Each structure stands twice: as structure tokens, then as C-alpha cells.
Amino acid sequence: MIEPTCEQDLGEAISGASGPLRVRGGGTRPIGAPVMGEVLSTAALTGVSLYEPGALTLVARAGTPLAEVEATLAAEGQRLPFEPMDHRALLGTEGTPTIGGVVAANVSGPRRIQSGACRDSLIGVRFVDGNGTILKNGGRVMKNVTGYDLVKLMAGNRGTLGVLSEVSFKVLPRTDVAHTLLMQGLSDAEAIRALSSALGTPFEVTGAAHLPRGPEGPPMTLIRIEGFEASVAYRAARLAQALDEFGIVRIEADPETNAALWKTIRDVMPFAGSDGDVWRVSVKPSDGPRLVSGVSATDIVYDWGGGLIWALMPAGTDLRAAMEGIPGHATLVRGSDADRTRLSVFHPEPAPIAAISHGLRTRFDPRGVLNPGMMG
Amino acid sequence: MEMPAPNPAILAKKDQVVRRLLSVLPKRAVIHDPTETRAYECDALTAYKCPPLVAVLPSTTEEVAAVLRICHEEGVPVVPRGAGTSLAGGALPTADSVILGTARMNAVLETDYDNRIIRVQSGRTNLSVSGAVEEEGFFYAPDPSSQLACAIAGNIAMNSGGAHCLKYGVTTNNLLGVTMVMMDGTVVEIGGAHLDAPVYDLLGVICGSEGQLGVVTEATLRILRKPEGARPVLMGFDDTEVAGQCVSDIIKAGVLPVAIEYMDRLCIRATEDFAKAGYPDCEALLIVEVEGSDAEIDAQLGTILQIARRHNPVELRESASAEESARIWLGRKSAFGAMGSINDYICLDGTIPVSSLPLVLRRIGELSLKYGLDVGNVFHAGDGNMHPLILFDANKPGDLEKCEKFGAEILKLCVEVGGCLTGEHGVGIEKRDLMDTQFLAEDLEIQMAVKDVFDPSWLLNPAKVFPLGASATRRERAA
């Protein structure tokens, strides 16, 4: 394993590589086709290099543990807006999630529907391309249209276009209070209708999820409101009125219970330790129930108002067969090495788009040393 | 500012190009008479002008594809144009180029309130997107000052912002999908009503690529339910640095206003003469707006006013009615017009870290004395996106050049303190030759490599964004 301790060394490790490299942050999110090669770890590139609470800006080296970034922000009453998920329970991995890994996989959580994805909060990157050249894009200011936005391209590139060395974020104030409206017994279609209604109100829903198999058995639908005490109470009550037809069971106000509920959704806890493949599907929310009715899933979790579907499937089943006529994409997040090779982890792209993706890989990594084959 | 010399071989075959374009477009969509092409000789950066070879106004994605296929075969550069409101010269043609205008593609294709999206043709104006959904209580969030006129196509090309992006983000945060025509005429769909990219975030790269990667003909946009209410408060200060500190303290306090706008004395006086909004005569004023129900607004403004009082404001005016709110915004919204009534001006667009605001304002003041040109500052303070307006006299020989030099110094200062050349207007031709103050050669090279992938022949808006020297080899290989 190569573990550079500075950006310069990272550059030299890549330019000096004679064979393929497996790029790794904390190693907690091994998603993608299996890759052979020597491990190149960014875990030793650590430290928050700049934090200005008054400018809502944080810059950290890629290997900084996510927990350290979150603690630094929490000390000033701020947070990463996009609520990154922790993949460890779902994927059965161990290790320390890094901020660079979060960016490389564009990891977001339930708040994505209101505050955007990781890529929306990311305002700057430093990275090393496949030639070993140190590059930068974006910066540390939240409005920046100077040149092409390669920041977005680096979010979710999974180390196939470049290895991140430093990442900058626009952060937000933490909210004091969260309440969750809970409904029980709704069918998938009713639940998505309820979530859509909630998201169409002015009450700023920051979480909208549905568990067809709720913690107590019957389906449970969850809608989260966050903010300062009086405002949350007011909006939760107004929302409960607006959703009267769906039968609100109760409004959960306990902080620990709320944190646990949304961690369950964020980390897809119902699938942790289970057998079978895990698929992650992004569709238009109203298409969700139709898709789900066409697959032989053993369990389902809906997030993002129904637009994000986690499906637990019998090993080796191709979920994409059910997506005929449904726009969107499906990723095989967990599966055997053989299935991840056979089924294509990432959604196949139409020929002209695949040509662009291939072209980008060729330009950013002409020698094909960065996670070759991982994304196609 | 230089543009590449037109290719004589293209100028010589104008008739052939026109004939071919007429074979795929209606007659009224092909503008080739030299008196008529002059309408397309510039955008809102009026200092530079050049009529194009031809201007075309297609109505559909298929027509755009047909036009691009022909231009690709003929090797003719294409300059896409939204509504022509670019302040950066993004739609400035060269004499050998075809202007591809989106003005006739302005239909709403789909509104879907359950999934909170609208799909429009890209020539539709920004404000009319909100207009199409406002009866149902929805709106499209990015609100550039030119929103009455500017087109979604241009918003996507420049990744436009606006006054309310502190809360709602800029175009790239509200764009879900595009139909785009590649230079060779291939039509691609990227994104849609679902979230995030299956593989690479190509949508994120296309947004803000200044019409250099493809021509966006349709867009899927996120729409939001309007807040229950909004209310601004106006604060006047006797010291610009204190106003800057107040902005930082508000942000640190944990309330997130939807907008924090700043104006300095020169702008305040100009807008008072022009719009009579009743602003106090002071060194700097802030307009801070929050949203929510009445009670939520009261609570947030309570915190904000408390912070403001600690900074000894000369005036604190909380709006008590819709009329008062409108009056508070009136001056800010007419600031550019008001400055224009004093003299000609160029409007800069650099962004700086909010913490550098006092330093940068002081340096701009010193540079103003050095160059002998007045500067008004009006900008989005919450996100550090400055808009210094440098006044000059276009009829006075040498004044524009002096003004541009002054502007370049301010932008270099923005980069020096950790900011950037442009926060929401784009590079175009205006900041093109300053790109190497912000980027190393290799940082520009990797961006140009992205263009190589999307537009290998370098025919789409080729002389923009990158310094001409840096892009020369690629452009010449194409020609």
C-alpha cells in the first residue's frame, strides 16, 4: 500500500506508478466493479486547512476523517448540509470514513432533497490526475463561475479521473430542533403522494421517507421538519393539518428518537446484516411505486420523497430489467464480485454519453492507472 | 481585447452556408442580410461589436441539430446566444461565425407539481419560468437581475446566480436535466426529473461551460413552493468595515437570511436621485431579507436586529408592509440603472471570502484615487460576490482602457485574497485574458481537455473563456 503524506508525494506516487492503482480513502465504501492493483490511500493526507465560520467555508485535506470535520463544524454550531450517509453497516465494512471518500462517491443523505447533494455544497477541489499532475478547480468562495466546473465532475468520480487531495465546502448553520411527522399503514403509492404533498408546501421538509416494512411491522412514513423550536412546532402543526387525509399518527419531538429514526433511513439500517444484493435507484418520485411493484425485492426503503429507492434483492437479480420505460438509474451497491462484474455496477449509459465518459477518462488518466475498470 | 481574425475561407463561402441553412430552416429563421445581422453584433457588453456571418433562430431541437450538423461539416464556428444579456461578452460573434439564437424556443413543455419540476425550451426567459408556475404557488429560485429578459439557455451557460442564492443556490443547484445538441448534431439527454448522475456528473460540467460544450435546447428545472412570506430590513452604517463585520456576525449567529445586499455611499446617492427609495445618507447600507410565517420572520429579524444594534447603525428600518418592502428593494433593484444615469460604467463580478470584505473595500477606494475614476459598490454580501461599478466616459479617449486596467487590478485583488474573477456573470471575453491570474497553465489545460472531448473540432464559441494564446493550437488545428 502506498500512503502519501503530502500532495507532492501523492503526485509522485501516481506519476511513478507502473501499474494500476486502487484508490482508497477510508475504505468503507467499496462500490464499483472490482479493481486489481496496488492500494493508493489518501488516509494520511489529513487536517482541516481552513475554517471560517463567518464565511460558511471549510477546507480540509482529503484523508481527514469525516467525524473530525463534523466535530469541527459542530463546535461552531454548523454542519455539512447534505447529511452524508455512513456505508459501514450496509456494506459490512470497517474503517474510518474520510471527507475525500464522501466527495469521491458524492455521498448524501435524507437532507439532499432540501439542501442538495454533496456536489452542491462542494465549492473547490485539489486533485492529482492520472499523469501525476496536481490540479485545482473552484476555490473557497461559494459563488464562482470562473472556467469550467470540474468540481462537480470530481464529485462522484470515485478516483477514476483524479485522486482528491483537498476539498472545500459551503457549510450551513446547524438547526436546533427536528420534529418528525409519522404515518402508519400507507401503501407505497399513498405514501409517495403524502410525501409529494408535504414537499409541495412552504414548510421546508428536510426529510421525506417511507418504509414499507416499518420498525413495528406495518408501513411507516416519515416527514422531517428542522429549525428553531417555535418555527418547527408551527410548521409541523401546519403540515399535519395539510396531510390530515393520510392520518398522522403522531409528531415525534424527542431529539434522540429523531436522530435514530433518520440515521436508520440515512444508513439504510433495515438492510444491514441481511443477505442479498443492494440496489440504489434514482427515479422521478411518482415512478417509484410502479418500479417497486415490478421487482422481486425482499425489502425496500424510500428516501428523497420517493425519488431514492433502496432495494434488497435476491443475489444476482438484475433490477434494471424492471426499469423499462422508467427514466432514472440504478447502481448495484452491494453484490458478489462475480455479479458486480456481470451486471455492471453503474447504470449503462447511451452510446454518445458513454463515449463522453470514456473520453474524459482517457484525457484525465491517459495511462489508465486510476481504478481502471471500476466505472466502465 | 482581441478576437481571432476571421477565416477568409469561411467568409468566401457565406452564400453556400446560407443556402444550406435555408434548406433546413424556414426563411424567417435565417438572418444573413448585413443590415439585419447587426442586431447580433454584441450582447450587454456593448464595448465590443462584430456582426456575425449569419444568425439563425431555430424553433426545435431537431432544427438546432440540423444547423449544427451543417456548421460542423462546413467547419463554421457557432456562437450560441440566449437573450443576449451577457455582461461578459459570452455571445459576442466573430465575422466568420453563425449566431445560434434560442429566442424562438420558449415553450413550456411540462409542469409537474407532484415531482416539483418544470421542463422548458431553453430560450424561455427566467422570469417567465416562475410565471408559468406561480398560480399554483411555485417559483423557480435563481433570480439574476436581468431575469425579465435573460433566457434559461444563457443562465445554464453562465451558471447564473441572483440575490436569493444564499439560500436557494445558483443555476447548477436547480438544474436537473438538459436536452443538448453536440456540435456534430448528436442529440443527448442528460439528467431528467430524477436526481444525481448515474456515472459522471456531466450536467454539472455543462452548466457554466459558456456554450462551449453543446447547445442546450431543453431544460428540466426544480421548482419550489413559495414561502409564506418574506420581509426585508434596511440598516445604515457610518463605516463600510462595520457593515462588513455585521454581515459576518449575522451569518455566524446561525440565522440564514435569503439575501444580504450591500450598497455604498456612491450607489446610495445615485439611487436616491434616480429612484427616491428614501435611503439614509450614510457610508454603507445593508438589506437583509428573511422568509417564513409572520412569527418565524419576527423571530429571525429579532436576532438580526439585535446583532445590527451592536454595530451602532445610523438607521434600522424594518418593513411593516408590502409597500415598505417594495420601497426597500426599489433602490437596490434600480442601482445599475441609477449608476448608468450618472455615466458609462463597467460592472465587475469578482467573489471574495466574506472575511476579506473590509480589506478589499479599502483597496478599491485607494485604487479609485489612483486611477481618478469613481467606483460604486453594490453586491451580494452574504456570499462575497462583489459588483464594483467603475464609472467612465465612453466619449473620452483612453477612458475605457483606463477603466479596464482598473477593473483588472480589482479582479486580481479578488484572486489574491482567495476569491475568484467571476461569481455569476461568466468569463466570456471580458475576463478571458485574466484567467492565468487564477489558474496555472495545467489547470486551464485540463479544462480545455474537457472541451476536446465534447467538441473535438473546437467550433463552439471557440474564442471565449480561455486566453487566446492558451487555446491557439486547438483553434488553429480546427481551422
Side-chain angles (χ1 to χ4, degrees), chain A residues 207 210 361:
Chain A
H210 176 64
R361 264 196 300 275

Side-chain angles (χ1 to χ4, degrees), chain A residues 164 254 326 374:
Chain A
L164 293 162
D254 177 63
I326 300 179
M374 180 188 248

Side-chain angles (χ1 to χ4, degrees), chain B residues 120-299:
Chain B
V120 297
Q121 282 188 305
S122 64
R124 193 167 181 89
T125 61
N126 174 293
L127 195 61
S128 73
V129 172
S130 283
V133 295
E134 72 185 346
E135 260 184 41
E136 297 287 327
F138 284 77
F139 73 111
Y140 172 61
D143 59 341
S145 303
S146 55
Q147 68 181 150
L148 186 64
C150 65
I152 292 296
N155 291 180
I156 294 171
M158 295 312 200
N159 188 14
S160 305
H164 290 78
C165 57
L166 189 56
K167 175 168 179 190
Y168 294 112
V170 295
T171 302
T172 192
N173 312 112
N174 292 277
L175 175 69
L176 296 172
V178 294
T179 301
M180 184 174 88
V181 188
M182 312 280 291
M183 187 62 216
D184 66 2
T186 309
V187 178
V188 294
E189 295 284 339
I190 297 173
H194 56 275
L195 296 174
D196 295 345
V199 182
Y200 299 130
D201 188 355
L202 302 180
L203 190 62
V205 184
I206 288 159
C207 190
S209 64
E210 307 207 5
Q212 291 196 311
L213 302 185
V215 177
V216 171
T217 55
E218 295 175 14
T220 305
L221 307 168
R222 179 171 78 134
I223 52 172
L224 297 170
R225 184 66 185 264
K226 278 190 205 163
E228 288 183 274
R231 203 188 307 156
V233 54
L234 183 146
M235 314 168 177
F237 296 94
D238 255 343
D239 185 320
T240 55
E241 291 192 27
V242 171
Q245 190 55 47
C246 186
V247 171
S248 184
D249 288 351
I250 290 170
I251 290 173
K252 254 193 290 195
V255 277
L256 189 68
V258 283
I260 307 180
E261 296 290 302
Y262 175 106
M263 285 171 73
D264 70 3
R265 184 186 284 276
L266 184 68
C267 285
I268 297 168
R269 286 194 174 155
T271 53
E272 270 308 289
D273 292 345
F274 186 79
K276 305 201 169 34
Y279 285 174
D281 189 29
C282 56
E283 283 304 318
L285 69 77
L286 298 175
I287 299 170
V288 183
E289 182 160 273
V290 297
E291 290 179 347
S293 66
D294 276 340
E296 289 175 295
I297 288 173
D298 287 342

Side-chain angles (χ1 to χ4, degrees), chain A residues 171-239:
Chain A
V171 300
L172 283 181
R174 269 173 96 88
T175 43
D176 309 331
V177 176
H179 287 182
T180 302
L181 280 70
L182 295 165
M183 290 164 273
Q184 218 167 46
L186 301 184
S187 71
D188 289 11
E190 285 170 330
I192 303 312
R193 220 156 44 76
L195 298 180
S196 286
S197 303
L199 288 163
T201 67
F203 305 123
E204 298 194 355
V205 169
T206 68
H210 176 64
L211 302 171
R213 284 195 338 177
E216 292 144 35
M220 185 192 263
T221 311
L222 308 88
I223 298 169
R224 181 174 62 183
I225 303 280
E226 294 177 293
F228 57 92
E229 180 86 51
S231 161
V232 170
Y234 163 79
R235 284 181 286 142
R238 289 289 309 271
L239 200 52

Side-chain angles (χ1 to χ4, degrees), chain B residues 339-377:
Chain B
M339 294 296 281
S341 72
I342 305 181
N343 217 333
D344 303 300
Y345 67 78
I346 64 166
C347 170
L348 304 177
D349 174 44
T351 307
I352 57 166
V354 179
S355 51
S356 305
L357 212 51
L359 168 75
V360 171
L361 288 174
R362 196 165 57 234
R363 283 286 295 142
I364 290 178
E366 289 163 12
L367 289 169
S368 169
L369 291 175
K370 173 179 152 189
Y371 282 92
L373 294 174
D374 282 332
V375 188
N377 284 293

Side-chain angles (χ1 to χ4, degrees), chain B residues 19 93 187 193 311 316 409:
Chain B
R19 201 165 51 242
V187 178
H311 294 281
L316 268 188
E409 273 208 59

Side-chain angles (χ1 to χ4, degrees), chain A residues 5-149:
Chain A
T5 52
C6 67
E7 194 178 58
Q8 197 72 32
D9 289 354
L10 176 64
E12 283 166 18
I14 295 173
S15 61
S18 52
L21 296 167
R22 288 158 66 190
V23 184
R24 182 195 282 177
T28 66
R29 313 176 204 270
I31 300 165
V35 176
M36 294 300 150
E38 183 164 19
V39 171
L40 171 65
S41 166
T42 59
L45 299 168
T46 56
V48 171
S49 29
L50 180 138
Y51 178 32
E52 278 186 13
L56 299 174
T57 318
L58 178 135
V59 184
R61 294 190 189 89
T64 312
L66 173 61
E68 184 184 326
V69 170
E70 288 180 327
T72 304
L73 290 168
E76 293 288 338
Q78 299 185 340
R79 69 182 174 200
L80 293 170
F82 50 93
E83 203 178 2
M85 114 177 235
D86 184 339
H87 280 81
R88 283 176 292 186
L90 180 68
L91 302 180
T93 51
E94 287 173 359
T96 307
T98 63
I99 192 66
V102 167
V103 171
N106 188 29
V107 179
S108 313
R111 208 178 289 117
R112 193 252 178 274
I113 44 166
Q114 207 250 345
S115 304
C118 172
R119 58 85 101 175
D120 293 294
S121 293
L122 189 70
I123 54 176
V125 289
R126 294 181 64 83
F127 64 99
V128 178
D129 71 8
N131 289 321
T133 309
I134 298 170
L135 299 166
K136 68 162 185 296
N137 196 263
R140 53 171 281 208
V141 288
M142 62 175 91
K143 267 171 90 184
N144 183 351
V145 297
T146 322
Y148 293 170
D149 190 351

